[in-house]
Each structure stands twice: as structure tokens, then as C-alpha cells.
Amino acid sequence: MAFENLTERLSKAMKNLTGRGRINDEDLQATMREIRLALLEADVNYTTVKKFVNNVRQKAKGADIMSGLNAAQQIVKIVNDELTATMGEEAVPLNKSDKIPTVIMMAGLQGAGKTTTVAKLAYKLKREDHARPLLIAADVYRPAAIDQLEILGRDLEIPVFSMGTDVDPREIVKAGLAKAAQDKNDYVFIDTAGRLQIDQTLMQELKDIEVIAHPDEILLTVDAMTGQNATETAQGFADALDITGVVLTKLDGDTRGGAALSIRDVTGKPIKFVGQGEKPTDLDVFYPDRMASRILG
Ligand code: GDP
């Protein structure tokens, strides 16, 4: 279960406080120390933790709530609000083009869940909006990626455009977009290549595809289970590409929660969706307020 450690630690810190009636400066200090440690152990980015703790402390003091009888409940609310704010406040919808097709380009490291996410998101649009997406298989370096996308497309009855692994991905994207125009698809997903780590060749290829495809959305998939690395990876991609949204995958296996809490704050990019399992339906819109409540338990 995601966030289990953080939830446990935070609720313990809050319980200590709520058991007390009036609280004093010392109680607040102790609670802030607990919160700080809980966030650091959850692998939240250091700067984000610092900002978080400072904001909560300021609000707790500024509102002059310390003297009131329900100070502890108010601090719980401040923490809840700050968690929500740190994760971006509102859910941010997928960008949509005025004219078809809306082009969604995927980016991310190998194994982060790009191919799986393409299928999940296309299937969601098909189910919920009766969309007619086309999936372009442009990850030519991992041969299994194309097979994987074709199998998923077949299972979900979503067309997949591929030209095998011997064609330059830029050419595949051009031909795929022409095919989508011909077939009047309303969404096009481009499944791009990943690497084990960010490198120049990969970034150049992605930049070239960005120029060719003029995507309405560049969705970065990052693996929540990699914690701080997920945040660093997101920053690396955001430095090179015009990332418009993040999909945080494998949240079902992430016991810490650091990436969910850091990515928006560190990169300024909104998390738009979360992957919570391997099945095609295991993709959800990311709601910062619901996630905050879930974290607080
Ligand atoms: P890619 O290299 O980025 O295209 O990664 P894949 O889409 O092939 O995903 C790598 C592995 O992660 C696969 O085994 C997926 O089933 C798995 N995966 C992707 N998203 C999720 C998720 O949200 N939860 C879980 N548990 N597994 C996921």
C-alpha cells in the first residue's frame, strides 16, 4: 500500500498533538521535527521538506491558533492543506487540441512504464470519451516494446502503427501522423524510446520528435518506486523537453511516497495521472487533495 510508512508516522505525530488540548511552542516544535523526519524518510526532496515544514510552522504561528482549544485540529488541517498545495492543489486535465488529432508524446526511462501507460491512457479515453486513438510504436531500440504495444492494442481493440525496428523513429512518427490524418483519429500517442539513464542521443531523438510532431502534451512517465531518483529524472527530462505533465507509475508498489510529494514542487510540472497496477484499467487522474487525505490516513 502506497505511503504506509508516511501515513503511520504522520498520524502518530498528529495523535500526540490532538491528545493534548492546548498546545505550546514546544509541542509545535516537536511535531514539526516529527513531520520533517517522516517526510525525509519517505524520500521527499530535501528542499521540498524544508519549504513544507517552514510553511506549516508559519501558518500555525501566523494564524494565532496556538492559544485556541482546537489548535491541534487546526494544525492537522494546515498539514493537510500544505500536502495538497505541495502536490499542485488542483487536478490538471490532459491538454486537448482544437482540431484533431490531439498528439500525446510519451517520454521516460526504460522500464518506467511508458508503453503500459500509453495503452492505459488510450483505453481510458476510448472507454470514457469514445475516442479513436492511434498508437505509434516508435521505440525501436527495445524490440519487445513494439510487440508489447501491438499485443496491448489488439487486446484493447486500439490500432497500432509500427514499421518494425529498422526504421528511424523520426520517419515512423511522420508516417504514423500521416496515417492518423488519413484515418481521422482524434488522439495519437507516440511511444518513444527510453534508456537506462538520460543521455544526449536519447534527448536529441526526443527533441527531434517534438519538432516533427508538435505534441499538445508531452507526458513523462516516472517510476514512483525509485523515490528521489524519480524526482531527479523528472527534472532532467524537464530541462531538455517541454514536459507538460507527469504520469507517476507503480504507486501501488511505492511504500514511501517521496516522488508524489516532490515532483510538482521540484519541477513545476503537474502530475496528471497515477499508475496503480499492471492492468489496463489501473490508471487514475491525480487529485492532490484526495492524495493528501490518503497520506494523512
Ligand atoms: P517502458 O520501458 O517505459 O515502456 O515500461 P513498460 O511499460 O514496459 O513497463 C515496465 C514494467 O512495469 C512492466 O512490467 C509493467 O507491467 C510495469 N508497470 C507499469 N506501470 C505499472 C504500475 O502502475 N504498477 C505496477 N505494479 N506495474 C507497472
Side-chain angles (χ1 to χ4, degrees), residues 41-62:
E41 271 176 32
D43 219 13
V44 179
N45 174 274
Y46 180 74
T47 316
T48 306
V49 174
K50 221 165 135 181
K51 201 153 93 187
F52 187 98
V53 170
N54 276 339
N55 286 350
V56 172
R57 188 185 286 124
Q58 297 249 309
K59 281 180 196 158
K61 289 195 160 174

PDB file of all heavy atoms in Angstrom, residues 41-62:
ATOM      1  N   GLU A  41      12.219  10.520   5.578  1.00  0.00           N
ATOM      2  CA  GLU A  41      12.245   9.052   5.469  1.00  0.00           C
ATOM      3  C   GLU A  41      11.392   8.556   4.307  1.00  0.00           C
ATOM      4  O   GLU A  41      11.638   7.494   3.770  1.00  0.00           O
ATOM      5  CB  GLU A  41      11.766   8.416   6.772  1.00  0.00           C
ATOM      6  CG  GLU A  41      12.924   8.199   7.722  1.00  0.00           C
ATOM      7  CD  GLU A  41      12.476   7.656   9.069  1.00  0.00           C
ATOM      8  OE1 GLU A  41      11.476   6.913   9.109  1.00  0.00           O
ATOM      9  OE2 GLU A  41      13.123   8.000  10.068  1.00  0.00           O
ATOM     10  N   ALA A  42      10.383   9.352   3.952  1.00  0.00           N
ATOM     11  CA  ALA A  42       9.543   8.976   2.804  1.00  0.00           C
ATOM     12  C   ALA A  42      10.242   9.314   1.488  1.00  0.00           C
ATOM     13  O   ALA A  42       9.681   9.139   0.417  1.00  0.00           O
ATOM     14  CB  ALA A  42       8.204   9.688   2.885  1.00  0.00           C
ATOM     15  N   ASP A  43      11.471   9.833   1.580  1.00  0.00           N
ATOM     16  CA  ASP A  43      12.278  10.150   0.407  1.00  0.00           C
ATOM     17  C   ASP A  43      11.777  11.385  -0.334  1.00  0.00           C
ATOM     18  O   ASP A  43      11.907  11.479  -1.556  1.00  0.00           O
ATOM     19  CB  ASP A  43      12.320   8.938  -0.548  1.00  0.00           C
ATOM     20  CG  ASP A  43      13.702   8.773  -1.181  1.00  0.00           C
ATOM     21  OD1 ASP A  43      14.642   9.417  -0.687  1.00  0.00           O
ATOM     22  OD2 ASP A  43      13.826   8.016  -2.158  1.00  0.00           O
ATOM     23  N   VAL A  44      11.205  12.304   0.402  1.00  0.00           N
ATOM     24  CA  VAL A  44      10.800  13.577  -0.193  1.00  0.00           C
ATOM     25  C   VAL A  44      12.058  14.433  -0.356  1.00  0.00           C
ATOM     26  O   VAL A  44      12.951  14.396   0.489  1.00  0.00           O
ATOM     27  CB  VAL A  44       9.761  14.308   0.700  1.00  0.00           C
ATOM     28  CG1 VAL A  44       9.353  15.644   0.079  1.00  0.00           C
ATOM     29  CG2 VAL A  44       8.541  13.426   0.929  1.00  0.00           C
ATOM     30  N   ASN A  45      12.101  15.171  -1.447  1.00  0.00           N
ATOM     31  CA  ASN A  45      13.238  16.037  -1.733  1.00  0.00           C
ATOM     32  C   ASN A  45      13.516  16.989  -0.560  1.00  0.00           C
ATOM     33  O   ASN A  45      12.592  17.566   0.016  1.00  0.00           O
ATOM     34  CB  ASN A  45      12.929  16.828  -3.006  1.00  0.00           C
ATOM     35  CG  ASN A  45      13.967  17.864  -3.324  1.00  0.00           C
ATOM     36  OD1 ASN A  45      13.926  18.977  -2.835  1.00  0.00           O
ATOM     37  ND2 ASN A  45      14.919  17.487  -4.137  1.00  0.00           N
ATOM     38  N   TYR A  46      14.786  17.184  -0.248  1.00  0.00           N
ATOM     39  CA  TYR A  46      15.190  17.944   0.931  1.00  0.00           C
ATOM     40  C   TYR A  46      14.645  19.377   0.921  1.00  0.00           C
ATOM     41  O   TYR A  46      14.126  19.868   1.929  1.00  0.00           O
ATOM     42  CB  TYR A  46      16.723  17.947   1.015  1.00  0.00           C
ATOM     43  CG  TYR A  46      17.243  18.701   2.193  1.00  0.00           C
ATOM     44  CD1 TYR A  46      17.137  18.162   3.476  1.00  0.00           C
ATOM     45  CD2 TYR A  46      17.822  19.957   2.043  1.00  0.00           C
ATOM     46  CE1 TYR A  46      17.599  18.871   4.574  1.00  0.00           C
ATOM     47  CE2 TYR A  46      18.284  20.664   3.132  1.00  0.00           C
ATOM     48  CZ  TYR A  46      18.169  20.119   4.396  1.00  0.00           C
ATOM     49  OH  TYR A  46      18.618  20.806   5.480  1.00  0.00           O
ATOM     50  N   THR A  47      14.756  20.027  -0.232  1.00  0.00           N
ATOM     51  CA  THR A  47      14.279  21.417  -0.329  1.00  0.00           C
ATOM     52  C   THR A  47      12.773  21.490  -0.151  1.00  0.00           C
ATOM     53  O   THR A  47      12.240  22.410   0.471  1.00  0.00           O
ATOM     54  CB  THR A  47      14.659  22.006  -1.706  1.00  0.00           C
ATOM     55  OG1 THR A  47      15.996  21.638  -1.983  1.00  0.00           O
ATOM     56  CG2 THR A  47      14.538  23.496  -1.731  1.00  0.00           C
ATOM     57  N   THR A  48      12.083  20.501  -0.696  1.00  0.00           N
ATOM     58  CA  THR A  48      10.627  20.450  -0.553  1.00  0.00           C
ATOM     59  C   THR A  48      10.252  20.283   0.919  1.00  0.00           C
ATOM     60  O   THR A  48       9.334  20.942   1.415  1.00  0.00           O
ATOM     61  CB  THR A  48      10.056  19.276  -1.388  1.00  0.00           C
ATOM     62  OG1 THR A  48      10.507  19.418  -2.734  1.00  0.00           O
ATOM     63  CG2 THR A  48       8.549  19.236  -1.361  1.00  0.00           C
ATOM     64  N   VAL A  49      10.985  19.434   1.616  1.00  0.00           N
ATOM     65  CA  VAL A  49      10.715  19.205   3.041  1.00  0.00           C
ATOM     66  C   VAL A  49      10.903  20.501   3.824  1.00  0.00           C
ATOM     67  O   VAL A  49      10.061  20.884   4.647  1.00  0.00           O
ATOM     68  CB  VAL A  49      11.658  18.115   3.625  1.00  0.00           C
ATOM     69  CG1 VAL A  49      11.476  17.993   5.137  1.00  0.00           C
ATOM     70  CG2 VAL A  49      11.410  16.770   2.949  1.00  0.00           C
ATOM     71  N   LYS A  50      11.975  21.204   3.518  1.00  0.00           N
ATOM     72  CA  LYS A  50      12.299  22.428   4.240  1.00  0.00           C
ATOM     73  C   LYS A  50      11.183  23.466   4.059  1.00  0.00           C
ATOM     74  O   LYS A  50      10.716  24.072   5.021  1.00  0.00           O
ATOM     75  CB  LYS A  50      13.615  22.981   3.682  1.00  0.00           C
ATOM     76  CG  LYS A  50      14.523  23.508   4.747  1.00  0.00           C
ATOM     77  CD  LYS A  50      15.900  23.691   4.197  1.00  0.00           C
ATOM     78  CE  LYS A  50      16.424  25.032   4.644  1.00  0.00           C
ATOM     79  NZ  LYS A  50      17.761  25.287   4.131  1.00  0.00           N
ATOM     80  N   LYS A  51      10.793  23.602   2.813  1.00  0.00           N
ATOM     81  CA  LYS A  51       9.737  24.560   2.484  1.00  0.00           C
ATOM     82  C   LYS A  51       8.429  24.168   3.183  1.00  0.00           C
ATOM     83  O   LYS A  51       7.738  24.997   3.761  1.00  0.00           O
ATOM     84  CB  LYS A  51       9.539  24.553   0.963  1.00  0.00           C
ATOM     85  CG  LYS A  51       8.894  25.776   0.427  1.00  0.00           C
ATOM     86  CD  LYS A  51       9.318  26.014  -1.015  1.00  0.00           C
ATOM     87  CE  LYS A  51       8.356  25.398  -1.988  1.00  0.00           C
ATOM     88  NZ  LYS A  51       8.781  25.452  -3.375  1.00  0.00           N
ATOM     89  N   PHE A  52       8.135  22.868   3.118  1.00  0.00           N
ATOM     90  CA  PHE A  52       6.903  22.342   3.713  1.00  0.00           C
ATOM     91  C   PHE A  52       6.841  22.670   5.206  1.00  0.00           C
ATOM     92  O   PHE A  52       5.868  23.236   5.704  1.00  0.00           O
ATOM     93  CB  PHE A  52       6.855  20.819   3.484  1.00  0.00           C
ATOM     94  CG  PHE A  52       5.570  20.192   3.898  1.00  0.00           C
ATOM     95  CD1 PHE A  52       4.581  19.923   2.963  1.00  0.00           C
ATOM     96  CD2 PHE A  52       5.329  19.848   5.228  1.00  0.00           C
ATOM     97  CE1 PHE A  52       3.381  19.346   3.339  1.00  0.00           C
ATOM     98  CE2 PHE A  52       4.136  19.273   5.617  1.00  0.00           C
ATOM     99  CZ  PHE A  52       3.159  19.018   4.667  1.00  0.00           C
ATOM    100  N   VAL A  53       7.905  22.318   5.890  1.00  0.00           N
ATOM    101  CA  VAL A  53       7.936  22.496   7.349  1.00  0.00           C
ATOM    102  C   VAL A  53       7.853  23.979   7.710  1.00  0.00           C
ATOM    103  O   VAL A  53       7.114  24.375   8.612  1.00  0.00           O
ATOM    104  CB  VAL A  53       9.193  21.820   7.943  1.00  0.00           C
ATOM    105  CG1 VAL A  53       9.382  22.188   9.404  1.00  0.00           C
ATOM    106  CG2 VAL A  53       9.102  20.308   7.787  1.00  0.00           C
ATOM    107  N   ASN A  54       8.586  24.812   6.968  1.00  0.00           N
ATOM    108  CA  ASN A  54       8.536  26.257   7.225  1.00  0.00           C
ATOM    109  C   ASN A  54       7.139  26.817   7.032  1.00  0.00           C
ATOM    110  O   ASN A  54       6.651  27.591   7.857  1.00  0.00           O
ATOM    111  CB  ASN A  54       9.494  27.007   6.292  1.00  0.00           C
ATOM    112  CG  ASN A  54      10.892  27.011   6.859  1.00  0.00           C
ATOM    113  OD1 ASN A  54      11.075  26.816   8.068  1.00  0.00           O
ATOM    114  ND2 ASN A  54      11.880  27.194   6.004  1.00  0.00           N
ATOM    115  N   ASN A  55       6.504  26.418   5.942  1.00  0.00           N
ATOM    116  CA  ASN A  55       5.151  26.912   5.660  1.00  0.00           C
ATOM    117  C   ASN A  55       4.174  26.508   6.747  1.00  0.00           C
ATOM    118  O   ASN A  55       3.367  27.315   7.196  1.00  0.00           O
ATOM    119  CB  ASN A  55       4.650  26.381   4.308  1.00  0.00           C
ATOM    120  CG  ASN A  55       5.325  27.088   3.149  1.00  0.00           C
ATOM    121  OD1 ASN A  55       6.023  28.078   3.337  1.00  0.00           O
ATOM    122  ND2 ASN A  55       5.138  26.561   1.952  1.00  0.00           N
ATOM    123  N   VAL A  56       4.240  25.242   7.173  1.00  0.00           N
ATOM    124  CA  VAL A  56       3.315  24.770   8.207  1.00  0.00           C
ATOM    125  C   VAL A  56       3.567  25.536   9.509  1.00  0.00           C
ATOM    126  O   VAL A  56       2.633  26.012  10.158  1.00  0.00           O
ATOM    127  CB  VAL A  56       3.446  23.240   8.417  1.00  0.00           C
ATOM    128  CG1 VAL A  56       2.628  22.796   9.631  1.00  0.00           C
ATOM    129  CG2 VAL A  56       2.996  22.492   7.171  1.00  0.00           C
ATOM    130  N   ARG A  57       4.835  25.697   9.828  1.00  0.00           N
ATOM    131  CA  ARG A  57       5.170  26.390  11.087  1.00  0.00           C
ATOM    132  C   ARG A  57       4.642  27.825  11.061  1.00  0.00           C
ATOM    133  O   ARG A  57       4.017  28.300  12.004  1.00  0.00           O
ATOM    134  CB  ARG A  57       6.686  26.365  11.312  1.00  0.00           C
ATOM    135  CG  ARG A  57       7.081  26.893  12.676  1.00  0.00           C
ATOM    136  CD  ARG A  57       8.568  26.975  12.870  1.00  0.00           C
ATOM    137  NE  ARG A  57       9.191  25.681  13.067  1.00  0.00           N
ATOM    138  CZ  ARG A  57      10.186  25.192  12.330  1.00  0.00           C
ATOM    139  NH1 ARG A  57      10.639  25.881  11.306  1.00  0.00           N
ATOM    140  NH2 ARG A  57      10.711  24.023  12.591  1.00  0.00           N
ATOM    141  N   GLN A  58       4.899  28.515   9.940  1.00  0.00           N
ATOM    142  CA  GLN A  58       4.449  29.910   9.787  1.00  0.00           C
ATOM    143  C   GLN A  58       2.942  30.011   9.905  1.00  0.00           C
ATOM    144  O   GLN A  58       2.433  30.898  10.592  1.00  0.00           O
ATOM    145  CB  GLN A  58       4.857  30.419   8.408  1.00  0.00           C
ATOM    146  CG  GLN A  58       6.344  30.463   8.207  1.00  0.00           C
ATOM    147  CD  GLN A  58       6.813  31.887   8.123  1.00  0.00           C
ATOM    148  OE1 GLN A  58       6.270  32.647   7.367  1.00  0.00           O
ATOM    149  NE2 GLN A  58       7.799  32.232   8.921  1.00  0.00           N
ATOM    150  N   LYS A  59       2.241  29.127   9.237  1.00  0.00           N
ATOM    151  CA  LYS A  59       0.780  29.198   9.255  1.00  0.00           C
ATOM    152  C   LYS A  59       0.250  28.906  10.658  1.00  0.00           C
ATOM    153  O   LYS A  59      -0.696  29.539  11.113  1.00  0.00           O
ATOM    154  CB  LYS A  59       0.177  28.224   8.245  1.00  0.00           C
ATOM    155  CG  LYS A  59       0.241  28.761   6.837  1.00  0.00           C
ATOM    156  CD  LYS A  59      -0.361  27.801   5.835  1.00  0.00           C
ATOM    157  CE  LYS A  59       0.061  28.185   4.431  1.00  0.00           C
ATOM    158  NZ  LYS A  59      -0.024  27.082   3.489  1.00  0.00           N
ATOM    159  N   ALA A  60       0.898  27.943  11.324  1.00  0.00           N
ATOM    160  CA  ALA A  60       0.463  27.588  12.672  1.00  0.00           C
ATOM    161  C   ALA A  60       0.643  28.781  13.619  1.00  0.00           C
ATOM    162  O   ALA A  60      -0.197  29.057  14.463  1.00  0.00           O
ATOM    163  CB  ALA A  60       1.234  26.385  13.178  1.00  0.00           C
ATOM    164  N   LYS A  61       1.742  29.489  13.438  1.00  0.00           N
ATOM    165  CA  LYS A  61       2.001  30.631  14.315  1.00  0.00           C
ATOM    166  C   LYS A  61       1.211  31.844  13.877  1.00  0.00           C
ATOM    167  O   LYS A  61       0.579  32.512  14.679  1.00  0.00           O
ATOM    168  CB  LYS A  61       3.495  30.964  14.295  1.00  0.00           C
ATOM    169  CG  LYS A  61       4.305  29.917  15.005  1.00  0.00           C
ATOM    170  CD  LYS A  61       5.683  30.416  15.295  1.00  0.00           C
ATOM    171  CE  LYS A  61       6.288  29.582  16.408  1.00  0.00           C
ATOM    172  NZ  LYS A  61       7.679  29.916  16.648  1.00  0.00           N
ATOM    173  N   GLY A  62       1.237  32.089  12.549  1.00  0.00           N
ATOM    174  CA  GLY A  62       0.635  33.298  11.990  1.00  0.00           C
ATOM    175  C   GLY A  62      -0.847  33.403  12.299  1.00  0.00           C
ATOM    176  O   GLY A  62      -1.354  34.469  12.605  1.00  0.00           O
TER     177      GLY A  62
END
